[in-house]
Structures are given as structure tokens and as C-alpha cells.
Amino acid sequence: MTTQCLHCSQDIPPSQGGEFCCHGCEAAYHLVRGLGLEGYYARRCVDPAQRPLRPEDGGAPIDYGTHVHEDEGGIQGLNLMVEGLHCAACVWLIESILSRQPGVVTARVNMTTRRLVLKWRKGEAEADALVGAVNGVGYRLVPFDPGVMDRENARQEKELLRAMAVAGFVAGNVMLFSVSVWAGHVSGMGQATRDLMHWLSALITLPAIAYAGRPFFHSALAALRHLRTNMDVPISVGVLLTAGMSLWETVRGGPHAYFDSAIMLLFFLLIGRYLDRRARGRARASAEHLLTLSALAVTVIDEEGRRHMLPPARVKAGMTVLAVAGDRIGVDGTVIAGRSDIDTSLISGETLPQPVEAGSRVFAGTLNLSGPLTLRVDAVGEGTLLAEIVRLMEAAEQGRAKYVALADRVARFYAPVVHLLALCTFLAWVFGGGMAWQEALLIAAAVLIITCPCALALAVPVVQVVASGRLLRQGILVKSGSALERLARTDTVVFDKTGTLTLGRAEPIALDGLPPDDLRLATAMAGASRHPLARALVKAMPGVPVAAGVEEIPGRGLRLGDVRLGSRAWIGAPEAAGEIEGPELWLHRPGTAPLRIAFCDPLRSDAAATVAALKAAGCRVALLSGDRAPVVEAAAREAGIEDWRAAMAPADKCKVLDDLRAEGRNVLMVGDGLNDAPALAAADVSLSPSTAVDVSQTAADAIFQGQRLGSVAEVVAVARLADRLVKQNFAMAFVYNVVTVPMAMAGLVTPLIAAAAMSGSSLLVIVNALRLGRRRA
Amino acid sequence: MDSLLILIPAALFLGLVGLVAFLWALRSGQFEDLDGSAHRILFDDDKPLPPPGN
């Protein structure tokens, strides 16, 4: 019978007892209780697939101070992304914790976008302290800067929504008049009344077209200026021509006016355009995200030995810099003095900390784990390896931007054909049928309207929004509509190992086979260290008190009196045959044989099943990793991947992907580290787990949450289904056009038929797309 | 026919009221957080809620 931790609801191993799984949770619980917010525990609903609400000890410390912006009036503000939000109770808890801190003006969490806006009065609160309170409960707050692109996007989205509202309002009202007129044709409405109805329609439609049509007119004009045509050209021409001709009919007192068709067309198209914009998601701003990695102040030591905190921009090559334990190093440099372990996972994907000493090179973006280091700066800012990785990524992204969305490909063919048809109709009636040119123009306009770009314009965005919505419910965030199209064509899946195929953390294995007393001693010593292996051991052996008097020797291990815990080299243990490759700790007590504690980075529980599912779906699966060959081979074997390569640098990964693409394959890359970011951008389409570093989340087309890798197979399946539905929608729109266009060319389409046909085809397309939301793949 | 003279302006006016209401809601950030607002009503906090941030 396991009990659950009062704070994070994870199971507490029976051996440990108590009410909490770790000290962090206990502290968090008392923090929440102390604020009188324990109602949270009664209200929340914990989603097991999500990250548990466990305060993280360690991780890279984030310098929140650099992200604070100041308004006039002495109000400081911070925009943050919240990780670990389960439900509304979390929103309440975060807002309550923050608003009870002195000096806070507003704290509001947006549950939809998972963003937090925090404002406080300058001088009464500190960013780090405020955020620390929330981090202490177990959420993770990441500074996030809504970039210029993001704001521009939001502005355009609102603009479209306004245009849509105006078009919808007018379309509804014009329909009132149109229905009266159509009924009047049957029941014999008087000419004067009909004209009044037409005039009223004109009165409200023309301003609405002028307002709501602007997005299309702008884009059509831009296309014509470059002597190209796009989907917006026939739309603009059709709408303007129809409105103009209808006005002329109204002035003349004619029987048919098409005001309702014109505005309805705009309304449907604006729906499609708005959904398209929603599906497009957030813009990428990779450079900004990288700045957050290196926006940490650097401690520079001048000739007199005094320390200054300088922003990275003011550090020059040749300066001397100090990096204390726990610091993210902000420069590329060479170690002059000191000894430590460096976590290079961000750059190389290597899971294990690398020991460094005088003469070793270190890179910006890596994390100093155990001892203070004095560095000579070799490169800063644009010269660092980090910046080079960004450049690789940007180059790769430009290559990817060449992909043309399906809707655009259809539009290229569609626009000239429609114009040609309308023109032929006009000429045929005028010269072949001897009709007055005004009448012929009206029929030509009817052709433009009836070819119904609405079904075409809705065909793709509706499916994409429904598909994105369905994936979002399963914790997969797709960033762009075109990503779905590219995902549907995937035939090769490339995985990174660390953090993607695996969970990205070390776990000790076969602890049962070790003498318990030695194990307890090792754990007690490990409690004093921040080294990931030591921490993993402590996590696996809960309830062991930390030993006092442990001394840490950076780059080597721990010492407690004569007992030593650390690397093989330091203990001086002999090489033994038949040992499983992998990270290890050695415990040495004087007079006994050294004891080996082996670790592994476990695969995600459903990794093998996912690989099998992808293979069943006809994909080739490969594994590329920066890790060492034996480790990669073991992981590949366990996951069932035959095609693996190890010790790959970011540029190597890009090259492999380029080769695959040159073979004509469509590659889906799944990765999480900064070292994967260029590869993510170089692939046709890419996925990242939500635990990934910012940069790779930015570079990826989609992000999946939770521990399950099955999301990868799910994304591919849904994308393929969506692709089928889009093609069905296009087929329907095409059949519809084949039927109605000849009618329009023959001059048989009255406003009533146009309205019915247009709404009918659009509804059909929407209903077809909604099937995707219901069906379970 | 006299009824039309009243009904048409009335219909247009009511539609316009709806449109203005929507535009106001959009401008004042009512559409920023559709999931959160649904739950926010259940928070029993003795403190007044902060004004919506834009």
C-alpha cells in the first residue's frame, strides 16, 4: 500500500514513510499552508500525464532581473510562461500566492496561453523573490518576451476578427432583405418595394465591403504589383465587380442584385482567413530565446583582482572571468584555474558531466556544476559556439521556408483559370449572344462569385484547426498549419536520444544486488553533492539522512574521512569485463574492494512501442545522438532501431538530414537539446518534448507534453488523417464547381441559387472537417 | 407596408447593437483567455480580482 505525497501526489515508497516524497514537497506544502491557501489541495485535479508539481532543486538558475520591463509610474512588470499548470486550481494558487506578496499590483495567469503577467511597484518587491515563491511550490516560471512578431500577429488576428464581425452582421441583415425580395419574385412584390430593399441592401453592404474586404484588397494589390496573381485577386475582382454591377442594377431598377452574395463570400472567406491565422500559431523568434540563455551577467575579474558584474555584451576576449558552481557559463573560454564538472548537455547532448581542469575549453551555455572556475575569455556573443549553432539553425530554417502550402499551390492554378472563364463568358455573351455589355458583365461576375473560393478557402484551415484542437487535447501543440501538411508526408523519423527517446535523467540500476550498508553510506555522502549522479542516487534511496563533514573534490568525487565516492579513475578501480557500459559511481572504503553503482538513462516507457507503431505506419526510423557509441547502441537496441549513429555534432546531424532529404525522403526530427535545434530546423518537420530547452522548442513545429513518446506516432496519424480530409474537401469543392460553373456561364444563376450553393458547399466542407474531431485514431 | 418602416430600422438597430457589443468585448480583452474565465467564477477569494491585463 503506497501513500501519496500530500503535495505532488506522487507515490511515496513504503520504505520511506511520512507524508511527503521529498524535502522540496514538504517545504512547498508548508508554504501553501502558511499562506492559508490549503484549499488548493482539495480543489485541484492532477493530470498524471503532466509534470508532477515537485519543486526542482537545481536546474539552471534563471536571472529574472534581466527580463523586467518598466512602465511609467514606477510599475515594473514581467511576462512569464508557466510550466506545470494542471487545472484552474493552479491558476488560483499562483495568483493568490503572488497577490499576497507585498508590492504586487497584478498577477494574472492566462489559462489558454499558460502565460503569467506580473506587475509590482518598483522598490517594494524583487523579481527573483516573487518568482521564487511560485517556483518553490513546484511550478516552473520561464521568462518569456512577447516579441514584436507576436504582437503584430495578435494585432492582425484582432483586425480579422473585427472584419469578420462586421461582415457577419451585414451578411445576416442583407439576407433579411434578400429573402424578402426572393419571396417577392414569387408573390409579386411591387417594383417600388423591391427597389427600396435593394437600396437598403446597398446602403449597408457597400461600407461593409469597404471595411471587411481590406485584407483581401491589400494582398491582391500587392500580388498584382509584382505581376503575380493569388487567391485574393479573383476574390477582390469578384466582390468589387459584383457590388458595382449590383449597384448599377439597383439604380436601373433591375430585378436581381447580388449584394448578399458579395458580402457572404467575404464573410466565409474571413472565417477561413481567421482560422488560418489561428492555426499558424506563434511566430518564431529564435534569437530572442537564445539571448535568454546568455543574458546572464558575467563576473569579470580585473587586473587588481576586483570583481565586476558585466552584461555579456561588454565582455571582451582576453578578459578573466569567474564562474562559480551552479552558474551557466556565458562565454567560450579556457580554464586557467580551478577544477569542476561541466554539464554540456545543452551543447553536445552528452548526459554525463565532463570533468574540466586548467587548460580545458568550456563553451557558453554550459553549466558549471561543482567548483569555481577562472576562465580566460576566448569568444563572446556572436563568436561563441552557441551563436554558431543559432546561425546553423537560421540557415536551415531558410531552407525550410521554401515549402509551399497546398492551398497556395491550388490557388496558383485556380486564379488564372477562373479569370479566364469569366472573361470567356463575358466575350461570348457580348459577341456571340449579342447581349448588352452590362448584362454580360453581370453574368461574368456571377461566374466569379459562384466558382466559390469560399469552399476552397475553408477546405484547409478548418481541417487544420480541428486537427490542432484534437492534438491539443492530447497535450500536443502544433505551431503552424503547414506543419500538419508536412507531417502528413513524413516517411522517415529521426530521433535524438537523450531527453527524447530517454527521459534525460540518470537512474541507478540493480541497487538490490549491492550491500545495503554500503549503499546507505554512499547515499548519505551523495546527499552533500549537486552532481546529477549523486542526486539520482539520493532520489532512488529516499529517507537516508545526509552525512556531515563530506568534502567535495570538484572533478573527482566526494570524501568523508577515508571513504571516497566518485569516478573510477579517482578510486583507482580496475577495469572489469562484462560490465554494462554507462555512467557509474564508485564507493571505496579502506580495506574493502571498491563497489560499483551503475546508472542508466531509462528509455521512455513506450519508446519501443512507438518505434514499432511508426514502422507499422511505413516510416523508416533512425537515431542520431551526440552521446558515446556504446550508450547509443544500447538505447537503439532496446527501442528496436537498427539505424543509429553516435557522437554527432550539430553540424553532422544537419548533414545527415540533408543527405536524407537529397534522397527525396521527408524527414521528421524529434529532439530536445540546443544541439538538436539546427537539426530540428533542417528537417522537413520537427517535434520537441515540452521538457526541451527554449531554443529547440522555438525551432520545432510541434511540442508534446508528458512522459509518453506515443505522441509522435499520434501526430503522424492525425496529420495523415487531416491530409485525407483536406483532399476530400478539395475534391468536393471541385465537383461543386464542375456543376455550378456551367450554370453560371449560361446565365442561369440567380442571387437565390448563388446564395444557396455558396452556403451549402461551405457547410459541407466544414462538416467534413469536423469528423476529424470526433474520430479516435 | 407601414410596418416595414418601423421593422427595418428596428432590425438594423438591434443587429448594430450586437455588433458594437462584440467589438467592445474584443477590445476589452474578453477573448484573451477563454478557458480561464470559465473557471475564474468559481474562485472564492475574499479579495477583489485584479483587473484584466492586456
Side-chain angles (χ1 to χ4, degrees):
Chain A
M1 158 70 199
T2 54
T3 46
Q4 288 187 327
C5 173
L6 278 181
H7 178 70
C8 72
S9 302
Q10 301 285 299
D11 291 343
I12 305 174
S15 61
Q16 182 184 348
E19 295 174 311
F20 300 100
C21 63
C22 61
H23 297 301
C25 280
E26 194 170 352
Y29 183 79
H30 290 307
L31 175 73
V32 174
R33 280 281 305 267
L35 287 166
L37 299 174
E38 61 268 47
Y40 162 73
Y41 295 110
R43 287 197 201 132
R44 68 172 174 188
C45 35
V46 174
D47 172 7
Q50 285 242 20
R51 174 177 164 271
L53 191 64
R54 189 178 284 168
E56 287 187 9
D57 44 345
I62 301 174
D63 184 3
Y64 293 99
T66 49
H67 298 276
V68 174
H69 54 80
E70 205 166 319
D71 315 351
E72 55 277 9
I75 300 284
Q76 289 186 314
L78 196 55
N79 288 310
L80 299 148
M81 292 275 272
V82 185
E83 283 182 25
L85 206 60
H86 291 278
C87 60
C90 294
V91 173
W92 174 79
L93 180 67
I94 295 172
E95 287 181 1
S96 304
I97 289 176
L98 286 170
S99 52
R100 280 166 204 227
Q101 310 277 342
V104 171
V105 186
T106 45
R108 196 171 171 95
V109 178
N110 181 334
M111 202 168 152
T112 316
T113 53
R114 317 216 146 189
R115 290 176 192 172
L116 162 68
V117 179
L118 178 60
K119 291 199 169 94
W120 65 92
R121 281 186 292 277
K122 189 177 178 181
E124 292 182 42
E126 278 299 320
D128 287 357
L130 288 176
V131 173
V134 178
N135 280 346
V137 176
Y139 300 99
R140 231 181 110 220
L141 297 184
V142 185
F144 141 87
D145 217 355
V148 181
M149 298 278 282
D150 223 29
R151 283 199 201 102
E152 185 59 23
N153 246 344
R155 200 186 59 76
Q156 285 180 339
E157 202 173 287
K158 277 196 166 163
E159 185 88 358
L160 277 174
L161 204 51
R162 271 202 299 272
M164 198 170 93
V166 169
F169 153 76
V170 172
N173 277 291
V174 170
M175 243 350 130
L176 289 175
F177 303 125
S178 298
V179 171
S180 321
V181 173
W182 299 333
H185 282 306
V186 181
S187 62
M189 181 190 273
Q191 161 114 26
T193 316
R194 191 181 68 210
D195 283 353
L196 171 71
M197 295 289 180
H198 281 171
W199 274 115
L200 282 168
S201 304
L203 182 76
I204 56 175
T205 310
L206 294 174
I209 286 179
Y211 178 77
R214 282 179 316 163
F216 303 100
F217 303 154
H218 282 313
S219 136
L221 270 180
L224 288 176
R225 255 192 226 119
H226 295 111
L227 299 177
R228 284 183 298 107
T229 98
N230 57 11
M231 202 76 139
D232 295 332
V233 176
I235 290 168
S236 305
V237 171
V239 167
L240 290 175
L241 203 57
T242 316
M245 292 310 301
S246 303
L247 187 60
W248 181 74
E249 282 282 296
T250 306
V251 172
R252 209 176 56 115
H256 295 305
Y258 292 82
F259 289 116
D260 55 314
S261 297
I263 192 71
M264 196 160 74
L265 180 70
L266 273 185
F267 180 47
F268 281 139
L269 288 170
L270 282 164
I271 294 175
R273 198 57 56 104
Y274 176 70
L275 291 178
D276 198 36
R277 169 76 49 181
R278 288 291 299 268
R280 205 170 295 176
R282 285 192 329 157
R284 302 160 168 219
S286 51
E288 281 179 39
H289 279 269
L290 270 160
L291 289 179
T292 59
L293 279 182
S294 53
L296 312 157
V298 178
T299 314
V300 175
I301 304 174
D302 62 13
E303 286 83 7
E304 286 96 53
R306 282 189 310 237
R307 295 180 184 185
H308 303 280
M309 298 289 275
L310 286 182
R314 290 180 43 203
V315 179
K316 297 193 174 44
M319 285 185 172
T320 309
V321 169
L322 183 73
V324 296
D327 253 4
R328 197 168 278 288
I329 297 169
V331 297
D332 282 7
T334 312
V335 180
I336 306 173
R339 187 175 265 183
S340 177
D341 297 285
I342 301 281
D343 174 1
T344 61
S345 58
L346 198 65
I347 300 280
S348 67
E350 170 73 62
T351 25
L352 269 196
Q354 305 293 307
V356 293
E357 50 192 15
S360 313
R361 292 209 56 191
V362 293
F363 298 104
T366 55
L367 189 63
N368 183 7
L369 291 172
S370 48
L373 290 173
T374 314
L375 311 170
R376 193 184 58 247
V377 179
D378 297 335
V380 280
E382 283 303 302
T384 56
L385 184 65
L386 192 66
E388 188 178 330
I389 290 181
V390 181
R391 279 196 293 275
L392 262 176
M393 192 168 111
E394 281 167 355
E397 272 193 4
Q398 277 156 6
R400 189 201 275 176
K402 291 198 180 83
Y403 177 83
V404 184
L406 184 60
D408 294 341
R409 288 203 298 271
V410 171
R412 268 183 206 170
F413 151 84
Y414 167 92
V417 168
V418 171
H419 282 131
L420 206 62
L421 278 177
L423 186 65
C424 290
T425 310
F426 175 73
L427 294 177
W429 279 114
V430 170
F431 296 109
M435 191 186 271
W437 68 269
Q438 295 93 337
E439 303 247 357
L441 200 54
L442 195 57
I443 293 176
V447 171
L448 281 180
I449 279 270
I450 201 79
T451 46
C452 198
C454 14
L456 280 180
L458 287 170
V460 181
V462 177
V463 172
Q464 283 178 348
V465 165
V466 174
S468 306
R470 171 174 162 177
L471 288 170
L472 193 62
R473 280 197 297 277
Q474 296 169 352
I476 305 162
L477 172 75
V478 179
K479 281 205 223 159
S480 68
S482 80
L484 273 172
E485 286 180 29
R486 284 179 277 126
L487 273 163
R489 297 163 21 160
T490 298
D491 55 13
T492 309
V493 184
V494 176
F495 286 98
D496 172 49
K497 184 183 76 71
T498 312
T500 306
L501 215 51
T502 67
L503 290 166
R505 53 166 196 256
E507 283 184 8
I509 38 180
L511 287 181
D512 306 342
L514 300 173
D517 289 353
D518 287 355
L519 203 51
R520 287 185 71 84
L521 173 65
T523 311
M525 287 172 70
S529 169
R530 292 175 46 94
H531 193 284
L533 290 184
R535 290 242 294 279
L537 183 60
V538 172
K539 206 166 163 178
M541 295 278 300
V544 178
V546 178
V550 176
E551 170 193 11
E552 180 153 8
I553 294 110
R556 297 279 177 95
L558 303 165
R559 184 203 298 269
L560 176 62
D562 303 344
V563 186
R564 287 180 298 174
L565 177 76
S567 64
R568 178 197 298 262
W570 190 47
I571 305 285
E575 293 275 350
E579 284 177 351
I580 312 163
E581 257 300 334
E584 56 191 12
L585 276 178
W586 288 81
L587 178 73
H588 181 258
R589 296 163 94 163
T592 58
L595 174 81
R596 176 175 189 261
I597 304 168
F599 291 81
C600 70
D601 180 5
L603 286 192
R604 287 177 191 255
S605 55
D606 60 347
T610 304
V611 170
L614 286 169
K615 281 182 178 168
C619 294
R620 204 167 90 183
V621 184
L623 176 63
L624 300 181
S625 171
D627 224 339
R628 297 183 318 265
V631 186
V632 180
E633 188 185 10
R637 213 179 23 244
E638 198 179 341
I641 301 173
E642 292 83 22
D643 183 5
W644 58 270
R645 294 180 214 196
M648 307 280 287
D652 297 340
K653 286 189 187 180
C654 282
K655 181 155 184 346
V656 171
L657 292 177
D658 284 342
D659 291 348
L660 279 169
R661 290 177 72 181
E663 283 175 34
R665 295 193 151 273
N666 290 304
V667 188
L668 161 62
M669 169 87 200
V670 191
D672 76 323
L674 176 63
N675 53 316
D676 298 321
L680 289 169
D684 292 288
V685 58
S686 50
L687 266 171
S688 271
S690 60
T691 48
V693 295
D694 280 5
V695 188
S696 55
Q697 288 200 13
T698 314
D701 290 304
I703 296 165
F704 64 93
Q705 296 176 327
Q707 305 278 355
R708 294 181 54 254
L709 195 61
S711 304
V712 179
E714 175 70 14
V715 163
V716 174
V718 170
R720 286 182 181 181
L721 197 56
D723 188 56
R724 260 215 310 284
L725 286 175
V726 165
K727 291 197 168 112
Q728 279 172 11
N729 278 353
F730 273 134
M732 279 195 285
F734 180 73
V735 168
Y736 155 92
N737 276 326
V738 167
V739 174
T740 53
V741 169
M743 283 174 59
M745 290 171 79
L748 298 175
V749 171
T750 58
L752 171 60
I753 293 176
M758 271 166 59
S759 16
S761 68
S762 298
L763 283 175
L764 201 62
V765 166
I766 292 172
V767 168
N768 188 40
L770 289 176
R771 286 170 35 203
L772 184 62
R774 283 206 311 271
R775 208 187 314 170
R776 285 269 151 266
Chain B
M1 282 303 126
D2 294 345
S3 60
L4 282 184
L5 295 177
I6 299 167
L7 284 175
I8 288 173
L12 285 178
F13 174 74
L14 288 174
L16 207 55
V17 168
L19 179 68
V20 169
F22 175 78
L23 292 178
W24 168 82
L26 184 68
R27 188 173 304 250
S28 64
Q30 309 279 328
F31 289 88
E32 298 291 314
D33 182 10
L34 297 172
D35 305 345
S37 309
H39 296 282
R40 231 166 250 284
I41 192 169
L42 302 172
F43 298 171
D44 48 349
D45 212 22
D46 43 9
K47 291 191 173 210
L49 280 173
N54 288 324

